Amino acid sequence: MEVTGHGPLVACPGCGALVPDVAGPTHAYIGASPGCWAAWGEVQARSFASPAIAAVQPLAVDVYAVQHPGLAERRAIQSVWVHLVSLCLILEAGRSPVDGIRAKQLLLAGARIFDRLEPPAARYSTTVLDIAAISDPEAVPEAVRRWARVTWEAWRPHHDAIRARAAALALG
Ligand SMILES: [Zn+2]
């Protein structure tokens, strides 16, 4: 999809990116506009082209989910939590994206008691459009890590709660 083409733009309700006002599929509970969801589809597709991009893809999944908290319903609340814990482990504890995936599995295998975290304002300085715009595959991994740091920082009021949850996991 051409994300910089003609036609009206709308702000994505999740990340705030200005995206084409198109009709199209979205996710059941990730709160993205169709234009943003299409840009995300492009970014995901590129991970097949390069092992370096594929290696940061689980991190990108966490970031995208966290930037699109959606409505205050159970699956959405749970999704934001598990992806934030994974972000915390990768960015702060130096864990691998694979450990992040294990953390999410552990959280979802547990009692699944998650209080809603009030999301930050839906406007990020780095969004999926910045990643989609990168033409050099070699530059994607660092851009994804930057995107992750910006996103983690935006959730600062909840850092302590997320860290506690991450620390309680038996990741080994
Ligand atoms: Zn978005």
Side-chain angles (χ1 to χ4, degrees):
M1 194 193 75
E2 178 58 65
V3 289
T4 52
H6 301 290
L9 298 176
V10 289
C12 174
C15 64
L18 291 175
V19 290
D21 190 8
V22 294
T26 56
H27 185 272
Y29 53 88
I30 287 181
S33 61
C36 184
W37 186 249
W40 172 234
E42 278 188 8
V43 166
Q44 286 186 298
R46 288 169 66 183
S47 70
F48 299 108
S50 150
I53 298 179
V56 293
Q57 192 59 21
L59 179 60
V61 168
D62 290 331
V63 177
Y64 193 80
V66 165
Q67 284 201 351
H68 299 87
L71 303 174
E73 57 123 321
R74 188 184 55 81
R75 285 180 306 175
I77 292 166
Q78 180 174 290
S79 165
V80 167
W81 255 110
V82 301
H83 289 292
L84 277 168
V85 167
S86 177
L87 266 188
C88 174
L89 287 165
I90 295 167
L91 296 179
E92 294 202 332
R95 293 283 190 165
S96 69
V98 172
D99 282 339
I101 291 169
R102 279 191 53 232
K104 284 177 272 192
Q105 290 167 342
L106 285 171
L107 283 167
L108 293 174
R112 297 200 186 192
I113 298 163
F114 301 101
D115 294 329
R116 180 167 187 268
L117 302 175
E118 183 63 33
R123 223 172 122 239
Y124 288 87
S125 59
T126 307
T127 70
V128 68
L129 294 187
D130 296 294
I131 309 301
I134 297 170
S135 52
D136 176 9
E138 300 288 307
V140 169
E142 183 46 39
V144 168
R145 283 188 281 272
R146 206 161 49 236
W147 185 32
R149 288 193 294 270
V150 162
T151 305
W152 172 243
E153 191 53 39
W155 288 76
R156 176 171 284 280
H158 305 300
H159 280 184
D160 287 346
I162 298 157
R163 286 176 188 136
R165 197 92 184 218
L169 291 173
L171 274 178

